Amino acid sequence: MRTREKSGSGDVCVPRPIGIPRALFYYLHPRLWEVFFREMGIPVVVSDPNNRGMVERAGLISESEHCLPVKLLDAHLDFLLDKVDRVFVPRILSLRRGHIACPKLAALPDAMEAQFGDRVEVVTVDVNEGRFPLKEALVRLGRRLDVSRKDAIRAADKACRTMEEAMREASAPSSGNGAGKGFLLIGHPYNLFDAYMAGPVCRKLESLEVAFERIAFDKEIEDSGPLHWDTCGVIYDTLRNINPERWAGVIQLASFSCGCDSISSTIFRGLARNKRIPYMVLTLDEHTACAGIDTRLEAFVDSIGGSI
Amino acid sequence: MTALAIEPWGNYSLALAASVECLRVTPWTQRSTTPETLRLGVEASPESACLPFKACTGHFIKAAMEGVEYGVMVNSMGTCRLRYYREAQQKILKDRGLDLFVFGLGYDGFKPPLIRHFDPDVIPFLQCCARARLKTLTVDALEKEVWRVRAIERQRGDATRIIEACIADLDRARTVDEIRAFAGTIKKRFGSVAVDKSRVPLKVGLLGEATLLRNRFLNHNIEEILGGLGVEIRNFFLLGDEMRNILKIGFFSRNSRRTLKRIARPYLKHVVGGHALDSVAHTIRCEKEGFDGVVHVAPSGCMPEVSIRPILHRIGKDMDFPVLDLSFDEHTSHVGVVTRLEAFVDILQNRKRKGSPATRENRSTEVFCPPAAKGAVS
């Protein structure tokens, strides 16, 4: 596959730009992919952040039974169609040793190829951190795009460093009033760190003047209990060791018809109950009305108000 | 005597029941979920769990209420959430104060936990396995026969009556010889059904999630609905084939994972989990083998099957091959399923009549329109 082509009159090779949908895997490896491609000299077009139009488009074009994050990925790819002629969708099989990713992610590049393959080229790479490190996958991807091994390794190093920083920043505590206990937000990274999905929850918590923090994903898992899914494993490990002195409550942001959440939320609830921490699940779907979320958050904060 | 609850698996329930006899327990099973067990399961399960989970949980609750002490549940080592179903069900039963211990079928060491617990003697165990295997294969043979006959029978319901009688006889067969003798009579018994040999029925493949394909209550008896519309079906979940795949024998067989992977490769380059790869491969194979269409059956929100639906649509588009997908949950209405299947069959008949590219040259263009198909399915 040749990805470089002569442009205009000069001898300079300008690689064709690559589109990255700002959905799903974008949040699993924050900033990684765009930095990696840019460092290799490939122009990157990232789709716009989620907005109402994007969500509506997702509902229109996507398979109706997907969970919202996968639907949104469809909408983001659709957005990129007339801007680039190739898009990047990795096949995420595992993010951690001994763990597996959600099975839906394993079929994504093929599903995207099936849906958009006649209009855009789908570039993919297997990410299986249980088997080989992320950097190796990146170098493999670089080689596939005709970038020299040396350049690919350099770009991969830079990209991984940027990602680690981004992950640290993302789970930094909110301002809040800082004095009392706070709330822990848990959920899949693509729900938690997406400003459109988690935004209404965060804004409401801010307006109620309670401190909150998103769960950190950049840590090692000691014990993931019965759960083998990677993100669920991190949450399990965090909840297992959660300190009831520090946290007033746990709020799970689940997406509607998420297979992992349907099983894991009962397990998480059990863990929180053992530590006597109030626990609430908020299910997000494309019918976003903030009134429901507002009411439930107000009630939740009110009901445990005394202990904050 | 101790009893062991086994998940309802359609006609295979009797083979599974035979397989646990050597453990000196009484099998407790049903051929399909009942409205009552489903209701119990829906009440107890997490709302977004899939339909097979709810049905099976209900089955165990009912079993526990009737005093059954043990249950057995598949817990695969795959990527699907099926992996956690045993733990989740055990927790639900415990929370409800029901005393039923659910065994997993997974390996954790040399012997599966179920066998370790009951510890049967080796020889009766192997004999029992042989009986169960033979019964499974006999059920496979029965199923294949009924798909063929039901589409062309003159009197609606004859084939169903015969298979019901056969299943009852097979259930009574105790020794390997008896089962063999019974298997020999299958052709003859189905031969007694009056059929219209001049009809050329449509051929439709049924594929998707295993429990839904097998549990007639959950799939609203899709096999009989299609058979009644004069369609010869092929249900791609046959336990005999599946066993061979699980035990990794028959490496070069038609339905081995390896063969399926090779077939699915142009569209799906990685195993997703569950039977997703099989669904893709069988859809492609159905098109090649001159089927008129396929029906993809999955529980609503099924993780592997839903994720490959766009791929099935693409195959349908690329090959001009009709694919109908049906999702089932506890709210699915029977009439809705029947209407969609009738419309699908109508389209297939039209395509066949007009000689669309999907119609194979070597097949007759004469199309059978069942006289009593419309509205007769209840």
Side-chain angles (χ1 to χ4, degrees), chain A residues 146-176:
Chain A
D146 279 353
V147 175
S148 73
R149 195 176 167 77
K150 207 176 125 204
D151 285 352
I153 292 175
R154 192 184 45 75
D157 283 340
K158 175 101 192 259
C160 287
R161 272 201 306 279
T162 320
M163 178 182 79
E164 279 154 24
E165 271 167 36
M167 275 178 135
R168 262 198 302 281
E169 270 169 36
S171 46
S174 79
S175 49

mmCIF file of all heavy atoms in Angstrom, chain A residues 146-176:
data_model
loop_
_atom_site.group_PDB
_atom_site.id
_atom_site.type_symbol
_atom_site.label_atom_id
_atom_site.label_comp_id
_atom_site.label_asym_id
_atom_site.label_seq_id
_atom_site.Cartn_x
_atom_site.Cartn_y
_atom_site.Cartn_z
ATOM 1 N N ASP A 146 4.575 3.123 5.571
ATOM 2 C CA ASP A 146 5.799 3.482 4.856
ATOM 3 C C ASP A 146 6.646 4.509 5.577
ATOM 4 O O ASP A 146 7.281 5.347 4.936
ATOM 5 C CB ASP A 146 5.463 4.002 3.446
ATOM 6 C CG ASP A 146 5.217 2.860 2.494
ATOM 7 O OD1 ASP A 146 5.434 1.716 2.912
ATOM 8 O OD2 ASP A 146 4.792 3.115 1.357
ATOM 9 N N VAL A 147 6.663 4.461 6.878
ATOM 10 C CA VAL A 147 7.537 5.349 7.641
ATOM 11 C C VAL A 147 8.709 4.498 8.106
ATOM 12 O O VAL A 147 8.532 3.325 8.434
ATOM 13 C CB VAL A 147 6.778 5.935 8.849
ATOM 14 C CG1 VAL A 147 7.700 6.766 9.721
ATOM 15 C CG2 VAL A 147 5.614 6.765 8.373
ATOM 16 N N SER A 148 9.896 5.084 8.109
ATOM 17 C CA SER A 148 11.070 4.287 8.480
ATOM 18 C C SER A 148 10.961 3.871 9.945
ATOM 19 O O SER A 148 10.326 4.551 10.751
ATOM 20 C CB SER A 148 12.347 5.091 8.279
ATOM 21 O OG SER A 148 12.440 6.065 9.302
ATOM 22 N N ARG A 149 11.583 2.756 10.273
ATOM 23 C CA ARG A 149 11.493 2.188 11.605
ATOM 24 C C ARG A 149 11.960 3.182 12.665
ATOM 25 O O ARG A 149 11.352 3.340 13.714
ATOM 26 C CB ARG A 149 12.351 0.911 11.636
ATOM 27 C CG ARG A 149 12.047 0.059 12.817
ATOM 28 C CD ARG A 149 12.792 -1.247 12.822
ATOM 29 N NE ARG A 149 12.636 -1.801 14.149
ATOM 30 C CZ ARG A 149 11.538 -2.405 14.591
ATOM 31 N NH1 ARG A 149 10.515 -2.573 13.790
ATOM 32 N NH2 ARG A 149 11.457 -2.844 15.817
ATOM 33 N N LYS A 150 13.068 3.880 12.335
ATOM 34 C CA LYS A 150 13.644 4.831 13.284
ATOM 35 C C LYS A 150 12.637 5.942 13.590
ATOM 36 O O LYS A 150 12.389 6.279 14.751
ATOM 37 C CB LYS A 150 14.912 5.410 12.658
ATOM 38 C CG LYS A 150 15.923 5.866 13.684
ATOM 39 C CD LYS A 150 17.187 6.344 12.994
ATOM 40 C CE LYS A 150 17.488 7.751 13.442
ATOM 41 N NZ LYS A 150 18.293 8.494 12.492
ATOM 42 N N ASP A 151 12.061 6.488 12.528
ATOM 43 C CA ASP A 151 11.083 7.572 12.708
ATOM 44 C C ASP A 151 9.878 7.087 13.506
ATOM 45 O O ASP A 151 9.345 7.790 14.365
ATOM 46 C CB ASP A 151 10.598 8.090 11.348
ATOM 47 C CG ASP A 151 11.653 8.938 10.678
ATOM 48 O OD1 ASP A 151 12.674 9.220 11.366
ATOM 49 O OD2 ASP A 151 11.479 9.308 9.505
ATOM 50 N N ALA A 152 9.458 5.869 13.195
ATOM 51 C CA ALA A 152 8.271 5.326 13.871
ATOM 52 C C ALA A 152 8.542 5.166 15.359
ATOM 53 O O ALA A 152 7.702 5.503 16.190
ATOM 54 C CB ALA A 152 7.874 3.997 13.245
ATOM 55 N N ILE A 153 9.738 4.668 15.713
ATOM 56 C CA ILE A 153 10.065 4.473 17.129
ATOM 57 C C ILE A 153 10.105 5.821 17.850
ATOM 58 O O ILE A 153 9.553 5.978 18.939
ATOM 59 C CB ILE A 153 11.420 3.742 17.273
ATOM 60 C CG1 ILE A 153 11.275 2.307 16.771
ATOM 61 C CG2 ILE A 153 11.892 3.743 18.728
ATOM 62 C CD1 ILE A 153 12.557 1.519 16.759
ATOM 63 N N ARG A 154 10.709 6.807 17.193
ATOM 64 C CA ARG A 154 10.794 8.134 17.803
ATOM 65 C C ARG A 154 9.383 8.697 18.026
ATOM 66 O O ARG A 154 9.056 9.197 19.112
ATOM 67 C CB ARG A 154 11.599 9.054 16.873
ATOM 68 C CG ARG A 154 12.014 10.377 17.485
ATOM 69 C CD ARG A 154 12.723 11.244 16.459
ATOM 70 N NE ARG A 154 12.064 11.272 15.149
ATOM 71 C CZ ARG A 154 10.954 11.947 14.883
ATOM 72 N NH1 ARG A 154 10.389 12.666 15.824
ATOM 73 N NH2 ARG A 154 10.402 11.910 13.681
ATOM 74 N N ALA A 155 8.555 8.573 17.002
ATOM 75 C CA ALA A 155 7.174 9.091 17.115
ATOM 76 C C ALA A 155 6.409 8.349 18.195
ATOM 77 O O ALA A 155 5.641 8.943 18.961
ATOM 78 C CB ALA A 155 6.466 8.949 15.772
ATOM 79 N N ALA A 156 6.636 7.028 18.277
ATOM 80 C CA ALA A 156 5.916 6.226 19.274
ATOM 81 C C ALA A 156 6.305 6.658 20.683
ATOM 82 O O ALA A 156 5.453 6.789 21.564
ATOM 83 C CB ALA A 156 6.221 4.748 19.056
ATOM 84 N N ASP A 157 7.609 6.900 20.904
ATOM 85 C CA ASP A 157 8.067 7.342 22.232
ATOM 86 C C ASP A 157 7.398 8.648 22.625
ATOM 87 O O ASP A 157 6.852 8.790 23.718
ATOM 88 C CB ASP A 157 9.593 7.537 22.218
ATOM 89 C CG ASP A 157 10.307 6.207 22.273
ATOM 90 O OD1 ASP A 157 9.653 5.232 22.699
ATOM 91 O OD2 ASP A 157 11.486 6.138 21.882
ATOM 92 N N LYS A 158 7.424 9.590 21.683
ATOM 93 C CA LYS A 158 6.845 10.908 21.968
ATOM 94 C C LYS A 158 5.340 10.765 22.251
ATOM 95 O O LYS A 158 4.811 11.346 23.201
ATOM 96 C CB LYS A 158 7.076 11.793 20.733
ATOM 97 C CG LYS A 158 6.438 13.160 20.813
ATOM 98 C CD LYS A 158 7.459 14.207 21.167
ATOM 99 C CE LYS A 158 6.793 15.512 21.546
ATOM 100 N NZ LYS A 158 6.798 16.495 20.510
ATOM 101 N N ALA A 159 4.667 9.961 21.425
ATOM 102 C CA ALA A 159 3.214 9.807 21.557
ATOM 103 C C ALA A 159 2.863 9.186 22.903
ATOM 104 O O ALA A 159 1.932 9.618 23.581
ATOM 105 C CB ALA A 159 2.683 8.959 20.415
ATOM 106 N N CYS A 160 3.633 8.166 23.307
ATOM 107 C CA CYS A 160 3.334 7.502 24.575
ATOM 108 C C CYS A 160 3.541 8.449 25.751
ATOM 109 O O CYS A 160 2.760 8.447 26.703
ATOM 110 C CB CYS A 160 4.206 6.259 24.743
ATOM 111 S SG CYS A 160 3.683 4.926 23.675
ATOM 112 N N ARG A 161 4.596 9.283 25.662
ATOM 113 C CA ARG A 161 4.827 10.251 26.753
ATOM 114 C C ARG A 161 3.669 11.234 26.845
ATOM 115 O O ARG A 161 3.163 11.534 27.924
ATOM 116 C CB ARG A 161 6.141 11.003 26.508
ATOM 117 C CG ARG A 161 7.359 10.302 27.082
ATOM 118 C CD ARG A 161 8.505 11.285 27.266
ATOM 119 N NE ARG A 161 8.830 12.026 26.043
ATOM 120 C CZ ARG A 161 9.590 11.533 25.055
ATOM 121 N NH1 ARG A 161 10.094 10.335 25.153
ATOM 122 N NH2 ARG A 161 9.841 12.250 23.973
ATOM 123 N N THR A 162 3.237 11.719 25.671
ATOM 124 C CA THR A 162 2.123 12.674 25.659
ATOM 125 C C THR A 162 0.876 12.045 26.250
ATOM 126 O O THR A 162 0.131 12.668 27.003
ATOM 127 C CB THR A 162 1.811 13.116 24.214
ATOM 128 O OG1 THR A 162 3.033 13.297 23.533
ATOM 129 C CG2 THR A 162 0.987 14.377 24.195
ATOM 130 N N MET A 163 0.659 10.759 25.904
ATOM 131 C CA MET A 163 -0.538 10.087 26.398
ATOM 132 C C MET A 163 -0.501 9.974 27.914
ATOM 133 O O MET A 163 -1.503 10.226 28.590
ATOM 134 C CB MET A 163 -0.645 8.699 25.779
ATOM 135 C CG MET A 163 -1.848 7.922 26.277
ATOM 136 S SD MET A 163 -1.939 6.283 25.602
ATOM 137 C CE MET A 163 -0.755 5.436 26.619
ATOM 138 N N GLU A 164 0.656 9.632 28.456
ATOM 139 C CA GLU A 164 0.744 9.490 29.909
ATOM 140 C C GLU A 164 0.431 10.802 30.615
ATOM 141 O O GLU A 164 -0.287 10.828 31.615
ATOM 142 C CB GLU A 164 2.134 8.977 30.309
ATOM 143 C CG GLU A 164 2.239 7.471 30.147
ATOM 144 C CD GLU A 164 3.654 6.995 29.924
ATOM 145 O OE1 GLU A 164 4.592 7.708 30.332
ATOM 146 O OE2 GLU A 164 3.809 5.915 29.325
ATOM 147 N N GLU A 165 0.963 11.889 30.051
ATOM 148 C CA GLU A 165 0.659 13.204 30.633
ATOM 149 C C GLU A 165 -0.834 13.490 30.560
ATOM 150 O O GLU A 165 -1.451 13.932 31.531
ATOM 151 C CB GLU A 165 1.405 14.306 29.871
ATOM 152 C CG GLU A 165 2.785 14.588 30.406
ATOM 153 C CD GLU A 165 3.575 15.433 29.427
ATOM 154 O OE1 GLU A 165 2.941 16.306 28.781
ATOM 155 O OE2 GLU A 165 4.783 15.209 29.288
ATOM 156 N N ALA A 166 -1.401 13.225 29.369
ATOM 157 C CA ALA A 166 -2.822 13.518 29.170
ATOM 158 C C ALA A 166 -3.681 12.732 30.149
ATOM 159 O O ALA A 166 -4.669 13.235 30.687
ATOM 160 C CB ALA A 166 -3.221 13.194 27.741
ATOM 161 N N MET A 167 -3.281 11.481 30.414
ATOM 162 C CA MET A 167 -4.065 10.653 31.332
ATOM 163 C C MET A 167 -3.995 11.199 32.747
ATOM 164 O O MET A 167 -4.980 11.196 33.468
ATOM 165 C CB MET A 167 -3.544 9.217 31.313
ATOM 166 C CG MET A 167 -4.118 8.380 30.210
ATOM 167 S SD MET A 167 -3.394 6.757 30.261
ATOM 168 C CE MET A 167 -4.830 5.745 30.054
ATOM 169 N N ARG A 168 -2.807 11.669 33.128
ATOM 170 C CA ARG A 168 -2.658 12.245 34.475
ATOM 171 C C ARG A 168 -3.532 13.481 34.617
ATOM 172 O O ARG A 168 -4.218 13.670 35.612
ATOM 173 C CB ARG A 168 -1.201 12.592 34.739
ATOM 174 C CG ARG A 168 -0.470 11.531 35.549
ATOM 175 C CD ARG A 168 0.799 12.076 36.146
ATOM 176 N NE ARG A 168 1.726 12.597 35.143
ATOM 177 C CZ ARG A 168 2.530 11.831 34.396
ATOM 178 N NH1 ARG A 168 2.498 10.525 34.551
ATOM 179 N NH2 ARG A 168 3.346 12.346 33.514
ATOM 180 N N GLU A 169 -3.498 14.332 33.581
ATOM 181 C CA GLU A 169 -4.290 15.566 33.631
ATOM 182 C C GLU A 169 -5.777 15.270 33.721
ATOM 183 O O GLU A 169 -6.514 15.898 34.470
ATOM 184 C CB GLU A 169 -4.054 16.390 32.366
ATOM 185 C CG GLU A 169 -2.904 17.363 32.464
ATOM 186 C CD GLU A 169 -2.594 17.931 31.095
ATOM 187 O OE1 GLU A 169 -3.557 18.147 30.323
ATOM 188 O OE2 GLU A 169 -1.407 18.138 30.797
ATOM 189 N N ALA A 170 -6.206 14.262 32.932
ATOM 190 C CA ALA A 170 -7.648 14.023 32.790
ATOM 191 C C ALA A 170 -8.306 13.666 34.110
ATOM 192 O O ALA A 170 -9.434 14.071 34.381
ATOM 193 C CB ALA A 170 -7.876 12.909 31.776
ATOM 194 N N SER A 171 -7.594 12.905 34.954
ATOM 195 C CA SER A 171 -8.249 12.472 36.181
ATOM 196 C C SER A 171 -7.900 13.367 37.369
ATOM 197 O O SER A 171 -8.073 12.979 38.512
ATOM 198 C CB SER A 171 -7.905 11.014 36.475
ATOM 199 O OG SER A 171 -6.530 10.816 36.307
ATOM 200 N N ALA A 172 -7.398 14.571 37.086
ATOM 201 C CA ALA A 172 -7.107 15.514 38.169
ATOM 202 C C ALA A 172 -8.410 15.904 38.849
ATOM 203 O O ALA A 172 -9.458 15.978 38.212
ATOM 204 C CB ALA A 172 -6.420 16.745 37.603
ATOM 205 N N PRO A 173 -8.356 16.141 40.167
ATOM 206 C CA PRO A 173 -9.589 16.481 40.877
ATOM 207 C C PRO A 173 -10.162 17.820 40.409
ATOM 208 O O PRO A 173 -9.422 18.713 40.009
ATOM 209 C CB PRO A 173 -9.153 16.542 42.343
ATOM 210 C CG PRO A 173 -7.674 16.637 42.326
ATOM 211 C CD PRO A 173 -7.197 16.053 41.055
ATOM 212 N N SER A 174 -11.473 17.925 40.469
ATOM 213 C CA SER A 174 -12.111 19.182 40.104
ATOM 214 C C SER A 174 -11.869 20.185 41.224
ATOM 215 O O SER A 174 -11.444 19.821 42.316
ATOM 216 C CB SER A 174 -13.609 18.976 39.954
ATOM 217 O OG SER A 174 -14.196 18.942 41.229
ATOM 218 N N SER A 175 -12.148 21.448 40.951
ATOM 219 C CA SER A 175 -11.888 22.469 41.957
ATOM 220 C C SER A 175 -12.723 22.212 43.217
ATOM 221 O O SER A 175 -12.202 21.972 44.295
ATOM 222 C CB SER A 175 -12.191 23.847 41.373
ATOM 223 O OG SER A 175 -13.455 23.823 40.748
ATOM 224 N N GLY A 176 -14.054 22.182 43.061
ATOM 225 C CA GLY A 176 -14.960 21.929 44.191
ATOM 226 C C GLY A 176 -14.687 22.874 45.346
ATOM 227 O O GLY A 176 -14.020 23.892 45.197
#
